[in-house]
Amino acid sequence: MDIINILDRIGCWTQNVIKVLKLFFFPKPLNRPPKIRLKKYTIHETFSLYLQLVFILYLVIGVLMIIAKMPIHAILALCIVAYLAIRFILIAGANFIINVSAYRFFYYGLVGISSVAFVGYMILRRIKNDPMYLYGFIGSITVVVLAFRSYFKVRFGRDYTYGVVEEVKGELAKVFVHDDISANVKPGYYWVTCNLKVKPGDLVKIAIENKTLRGAIPKGVIEVAQSSQTKTEPKAETE
């Protein structure tokens, strides 16, 4: 292989790297569904799962770095990369994530709080390596997390969600519900009570019941939002 071919390959590789970095740092909303998606999930669930996986991976790596006593600048670099990755997913999937503003607030908030927790813990351990100070700091972060959770519920929380009717049997209806962060409902099929006249394909508003440490569970249909609609949330509320 001559030097010209080697240089040509290096040039092509460099261009590809620059394109990827440009896309990562300056993402744009996708107009078409991504080619890489999970078959058992809708596009909304796919993006939501990506967000969850990135955040969990970030937490795991952060804890391992603290245990390994990595330098603070390495922790800061991890926090920045996690923020950029979540930002990329939220912007790229803006046209497909239902109620994207709630997801944006939720994940940006969690990344911010966890970044303060990681960096603050590392600094405090170096300055005051006293268990009382460390426990106090951990307690403070716990209070902040609970306050953030409460504020999120006030700002975005709902006591209902939306679902698409799949099947009707007497006073019961089988509905499919998307991942709904505002109602704290997991995606899936649920049998709920239904005293209204509905048919498969209808978009319905569903009351939920909150379960401690288990999220919310759809309980019963309270309104027919749109007839024969396949989205799980009216357009007016998603914009």
Side-chain angles (χ1 to χ4, degrees):
M1 184 180 295
D2 57 30
I3 188 65
I4 296 179
N5 289 333
I6 295 176
L7 293 175
D8 186 59
R9 289 194 176 188
I10 293 175
C12 291
W13 181 83
T14 303
Q15 287 182 346
N16 291 332
V17 171
I18 292 175
K19 287 181 180 179
V20 172
L21 290 176
K22 184 178 179 181
L23 179 64
F24 183 72
F25 286 105
F26 306 99
K28 295 180 180 180
L30 297 175
N31 295 320
R32 295 182 179 180
K35 295 180 180 180
I36 302 177
R37 52 176 296 193
L38 303 176
K39 294 181 179 180
K40 294 183 179 181
Y41 295 86
T42 64
I43 302 175
H44 168 77
E45 267 80 51
T46 299
F47 278 104
S48 177
L49 186 59
Y50 287 160
L51 289 168
Q52 295 175 46
L53 291 176
V54 169
F55 184 71
I56 292 173
L57 183 63
Y58 157 64
L59 291 181
V60 171
I61 294 176
V63 171
L64 292 177
M65 291 177 71
I66 288 177
I67 294 175
K69 297 182 179 180
M70 298 289 287
I72 294 179
H73 65 265
I75 299 289
L76 280 171
L78 173 67
C79 296
I80 293 172
V81 170
Y83 166 77
L84 291 174
I86 287 178
R87 173 177 172 268
F88 172 80
I89 297 172
L90 287 169
I91 294 177
N95 293 331
F96 305 102
I97 300 175
I98 299 173
N99 196 9
V100 66
S101 59
Y103 284 83
R104 187 185 300 116
F105 181 87
F106 182 79
Y107 281 101
Y108 283 170
L110 288 184
V111 170
I113 294 172
S114 56
S115 298
V116 172
F118 286 151
V119 176
Y121 181 84
M122 294 290 290
I123 295 175
L124 186 61
R125 192 168 64 178
R126 291 188 177 187
I127 297 176
K128 294 284 186 180
N129 195 13
D130 187 330
M132 293 302 297
Y133 287 99
L134 296 177
Y135 293 151
F137 178 75
I138 294 173
S140 300
I141 293 297
T142 302
V143 171
V144 172
V145 170
L146 294 176
F148 174 79
R149 181 173 178 268
S150 299
Y151 180 75
F152 180 85
K153 282 189 173 182
V154 172
R155 182 172 176 178
F156 295 102
R158 296 194 252 98
D159 57 359
Y160 61 88
T161 187
Y162 293 91
V164 177
V165 177
E166 299 287 336
E167 185 179 349
V168 180
K169 287 186 177 180
E171 294 185 352
L172 294 176
K174 183 181 180 181
V175 297
F176 174 76
V177 176
H178 278 303
D179 175 71
D180 188 344
I181 198 172
S182 295
N184 197 21
V185 174
K186 302 300 180 184
Y189 293 92
Y190 298 88
W191 283 99
V192 298
T193 59
C194 181
N195 297 319
L196 303 176
K197 186 177 181 180
V198 297
K199 61 182 181 298
D202 285 354
L203 173 68
V204 293
K205 189 175 182 180
I206 307 167
I208 61 173
E209 179 182 356
N210 287 301
K211 297 287 186 178
T212 305
L213 302 178
R214 291 179 53 192
I217 298 176
K219 299 300 293 183
V221 176
I222 56 177
E223 180 184 329
V224 179
Q226 289 182 348
S227 179
S228 299
Q229 179 79 14
T230 56
K231 288 187 177 180
T232 60
E233 198 158 347
K235 184 177 294 186
E237 292 200 24
T238 60
E239 291 180 348

